[in-house]
Amino acid sequence: MVDSIGEIIAILERLSCPERSWNDLARDAIIGSMEADELLKQALALSDKERAELASSLIDSLDPGVDADTELAWQEEISRRLADIENGRVKTISWDEVSRKGRALLDGR
């Protein structure tokens, strides 16, 4: 049983090692699918906070390069949008309304 997010990440990193032979990869794909199923079960048993941290780590592992300028631009954009909401410059809408409008657009209404 995996007891921590760190152990889950270590297993996932081991499964994605590029220096391994095709035979190793094929064997591990079979074993890995079993491990992946077990990892998923265990990940789903984590608290909301732990699952969020795990998800963030997995997403970060897909693109380890962080562009400082892009990160800063996103932080500024988030701050601007939050200020717009707090100052009443923009109106929020419910998820139900967003979903209804999205479905209407997709249905061509």
Side-chain angles (χ1 to χ4, degrees):
M1 176 146 194
V2 178
D3 295 321
S4 72
I5 293 171
E7 289 179 58
I8 293 172
I9 292 170
I11 291 169
L12 292 171
E13 287 173 344
R14 189 181 79 238
L15 292 173
S16 65
C17 180
E19 296 86 23
R20 305 178 72 201
S21 73
W22 283 107
N23 286 337
D24 287 342
L25 292 172
R27 184 191 73 237
D28 287 348
I30 295 166
I31 295 169
S33 68
M34 291 184 287
E35 284 184 5
D37 288 342
E38 181 61 27
L39 286 172
L40 177 60
K41 287 177 191 173
Q42 293 185 23
L44 293 173
L46 297 171
S47 70
D48 289 350
K49 182 176 187 270
E50 290 170 322
R51 284 196 324 273
E53 289 172 0
L54 176 59
S56 177
S57 294
L58 290 172
I59 291 168
D60 287 347
S61 74
L62 296 173
D63 185 15
V66 175
D67 181 348
D69 292 335
T70 302
E71 187 68 24
L72 178 60
W74 271 115
Q75 291 301 322
E76 290 171 352
E77 180 66 13
I78 291 166
S79 295
R80 184 191 64 74
R81 290 183 185 194
L82 182 58
D84 285 348
I85 292 169
E86 290 172 342
N87 295 329
R89 285 190 290 264
V90 296
K91 176 186 163 203
T92 60
I93 58 174
S94 70
W95 170 247
D96 289 338
E97 188 174 347
V98 170
S99 179
R100 183 182 51 74
K101 287 181 177 184
R103 288 181 208 279
L105 286 171
L106 290 173
D107 293 340
R109 292 186 237 153

